[in-house]
Structures are given as C-alpha cells and as structure tokens.
Amino acid sequence: MELWCSEHQTQDVQLSARIRSTLFSGKSEFQEVMVVDSFEFGRMLVLDGVFQTSIFDEFIYHEMIAHVPLHIHPNPRKVLVIGGGDGGSVREIVKHPAVENVELVEIDGLVVEVSKKYLPEISSALIENHPKLRVNIGDGIQRMKAAKSEYDVIIVDCSDPIGPGEGLFTYSFYQNVYKALKPDGLFVQQTESPFYHQPLIKKLHKDIQSLFPITELYLAQIPLYPGGLHSFTIGSKKYDSKSVNIEKILDLPYRYYNKDVQQSCFILPNFIKNIIA
Ligand code: SAM
C-alpha cells in the first residue's frame, strides 16, 4: 500500500508527497510534530500538518533567510533568530565571518530535539554546540518585549501565522523588533507565498513600512512551499539592498546564494510590486 503525506496549502490545493515511512510522530505543548521520509523531498519536518523543511530543498530557504540580510548589514556581530528550531538558519549564520554570537529562541523544545535526531544535516550547528550559538527554549514574542537596542540583525524564521507563530505577524511584534534592534539594525521575516498570501503580505508590509525607514521584499524559488515561490520581508533602520558591497561577499560553497542572487532576488514582477505598492 502506498503511503502519502499531504499539506493543505490552501482550502482548495494540496501538496502530497509519497513517503517511505514516518520516522517520528508526537505532540508537544504547542503543536503536532512529525518527521517523514519521502521519496521526492527526502526527510521532512511537518508541524501541524504543514511542511516546514525538507532535505531536498532546505538549502534555498536557509541560505536566503540568512545570507541576504547578513550581507546588507556591514557588520552583523550580534544576531537573533526567532523560531528556526530545525537549526538550518543558524547553520548558515555561524558561517558569516562578522558574526560573533547568535541566539536562537525557539518556542518548542521538541522541534529542536527531533531535528537533532532525524535531520542532522540541517541541525549540525545545534548538534555540535557551535561556539557562536546559544539556544533558548522560549517565546520569541516575549523575548522581543524584553529586548532593547541589542541586536544588529534579527531573523524571524517562523511557521505560518496560526498557532504559536500568529503573534509574530502583528504590528505590536514589529514595534518590539524595532526596539530590540541597534540604531542601525535590520530584521528579516519569512512572509509566505506571493501567490496565496497576498492580503497578509500587504498588511505586514504596511505595518513594517510605518515603523522602519526601509522596507524591502525579496524572493526565492522553493518547491516545497505553496506556489513554489517564497517571499521574505526586510525592515531596516539604515541599510538597504543597494548599499551592499558585492565585491566583499565571500565565495563560500553556497548552493543557491551568490553575489548575483544577492542583487537579483530584489527584482520583483509587477503583480508582486502591486501587492506592496
Ligand atoms: N522554514 C519554515 C517555514 O517557512 O515553514 C519555518 C521553520 S521553523 C521549523 C519555524 C519554527 O517557529 C517552529 O519550530 C515553531 O515552533 C517556531 N515558532 C512558532 N512560534 C514561535 C514563537 N512565538 N516563538 C519562537 N518560536 C516560534
């Protein structure tokens, strides 16, 4: 008998992956946590039935959420990640030469434990207790309320705006992110699909724009995520995508990111320009 794992990407669209087996299935205080081994995407983390990351294409999301903002800031020494309990973002962030320390605030300890056990390629920095990295199991919303002028870069590597991630897409959260950043700091958030989440993108872009002098959206092609095209939104106090010194970008063995992508990911088709106009 064939086994399939499906995500409702919208009420009327599903993505289904044929799977070999379920490696883990459990329930935390916050959500249902699953790891499945699929034929097309390899091992995948699934939270409340939503595909979070896969061995097949995780490099795209993690390189793009980390290296694009880290290269816009000229000296990102202190970085915070909210969410990202699979460890993929911090694996990328610790590679950046200017980064001295990274704090990861993930609400669900089970996501961290399961990722370390079943997704070691993604969670390598967590497994090796990377010296730049500190992991806190807690709520990113509360962390932002308490922080003041602490971080150069904040990366909101969150799940969808339902369940524990809901408050990470609100105006009051962005106010606290602004407060938590240093005077020249910037933040980035994964902001879902430009095909299926247009009202959300429009709303949060407006919220961020009303707080930050610079707001920019960039894109990456990610087969696992709804519509195959994913958006990220930056709120920045000082630096924008055009201020990057491209020649300073190191030629590390990235699989998706490079100097050209750093610039081209900000080029938007008209229907997306219209969403945020
Ligand atoms: N790459 C993924 C995507 O776009 O689908 C997101 C990956 S990561 C697994 C998202 C993480 O955010 C989850 O592990 C979830 O537990 C965490 N999270 C959700 N709400 C949070 C909150 N309020 N504070 C900290 N972490 C949170």
Side-chain angles (χ1 to χ4, degrees), residues 18 55 70 93 113 120 122 135 157 219 240 266 272:
R18 189 159 74 87
I55 295 297
L70 290 178
I93 294 164
E113 289 318 308
I122 299 175
V135 178
D157 180 4
L219 300 169
D240 67 23
F266 289 94
I272 300 177

Side-chain angles (χ1 to χ4, degrees), residues 28 30-31 33 45 47 50-53 61-62 65 81-87 89 105-109 111-112 115 136-142 156-160 162-168 173 190-192 222 224-225 230 232:
S28 72
F30 302 99
Q31 54 209 345
V33 179
L45 176 67
L47 298 179
V50 178
F51 298 159
Q52 299 291 312
T53 190
Y61 176 87
H62 292 128
I65 200 168
V81 178
I82 294 178
D86 51 63
S89 300
V105 180
E106 160 63 56
I107 203 165
D108 195 341
V111 173
V112 174
S115 300
N136 287 327
I137 302 304
D139 186 348
I141 298 167
Q142 297 309 322
V156 188
D157 180 4
C158 54
S159 31
D160 294 350
I162 38 166
E166 195 175 346
L168 299 171
F173 174 70
Q190 75 80 8
T191 47
E192 310 282 343
I222 306 178
L224 188 67
Y225 294 158
H230 207 70
F232 302 83

Side-chain angles (χ1 to χ4, degrees), residues 77 193 276:
R77 286 184 298 153
S193 162
I276 59 174

Side-chain angles (χ1 to χ4, degrees), residues 65-229:
I65 200 168
H67 297 301
V68 172
L70 290 178
H71 281 100
I72 291 176
H73 196 293
N75 194 17
R77 286 184 298 153
K78 196 168 172 195
V79 181
L80 173 75
V81 178
I82 294 178
D86 51 63
S89 300
V90 293
R91 179 197 66 198
E92 292 305 314
I93 294 164
V94 297
K95 292 178 189 169
H96 192 92
V99 172
E100 290 169 4
N101 55 68
V102 193
E103 185 183 337
L104 176 80
V105 180
E106 160 63 56
I107 203 165
D108 195 341
L110 186 60
V111 173
V112 174
E113 289 318 308
V114 161
S115 300
K116 281 162 88 171
K117 185 157 181 197
Y118 297 103
L119 305 167
E121 302 90 333
I122 299 175
S123 58
S124 51
L126 301 173
I127 293 171
E128 72 193 35
N129 273 325
H130 194 283
K132 289 183 181 179
L133 177 63
R134 194 153 47 93
V135 178
N136 287 327
I137 302 304
D139 186 348
I141 298 167
Q142 297 309 322
R143 182 72 195 85
M144 282 300 86
K145 281 184 187 162
K148 204 171 162 206
S149 207
E150 283 181 39
Y151 302 102
D152 298 301
V153 174
I154 295 174
I155 293 182
V156 188
D157 180 4
C158 54
S159 31
D160 294 350
I162 38 166
E166 195 175 346
L168 299 171
F169 292 82
T170 60
Y171 183 77
S172 60
F173 174 70
Y174 301 133
Q175 280 179 312
N176 288 326
V177 169
Y178 187 94
K179 175 175 66 67
L181 286 166
K182 290 183 187 166
D184 65 346
L186 61 91
F187 91 103
V188 66
Q189 178 167 23
Q190 75 80 8
T191 47
E192 310 282 343
S193 162
F195 291 111
Y196 298 136
H197 304 106
Q198 294 187 4
L200 175 77
I201 293 173
K202 197 181 181 72
K203 183 212 162 288
L204 63 87
H205 202 89
K206 218 170 133 207
D207 285 350
I208 296 168
Q209 220 164 23
S210 71
L211 292 162
F212 287 81
I214 298 155
T215 308
E216 292 187 279
L217 182 148
Y218 65 94
L219 300 169
Q221 289 77 19
I222 306 178
L224 188 67
Y225 294 158
L229 184 67

Side-chain angles (χ1 to χ4, degrees), residues 206-262:
K206 218 170 133 207
D207 285 350
I208 296 168
Q209 220 164 23
S210 71
L211 292 162
F212 287 81
I214 298 155
T215 308
E216 292 187 279
L217 182 148
Y218 65 94
L219 300 169
Q221 289 77 19
I222 306 178
L224 188 67
Y225 294 158
L229 184 67
H230 207 70
S231 75
F232 302 83
T233 303
I234 288 179
S236 174
K237 294 186 178 180
K238 184 167 180 190
Y239 309 109
D240 67 23
S241 61
K242 294 190 181 63
S243 52
V244 179
N245 184 349
I246 293 297
E247 293 321 310
K248 275 183 124 180
I249 296 178
L250 295 177
D251 214 2
L252 296 179
Y254 306 115
R255 292 177 67 196
Y256 187 90
Y257 177 82
N258 59 37
K259 290 177 187 183
D260 297 330
V261 169
Q262 173 75 44

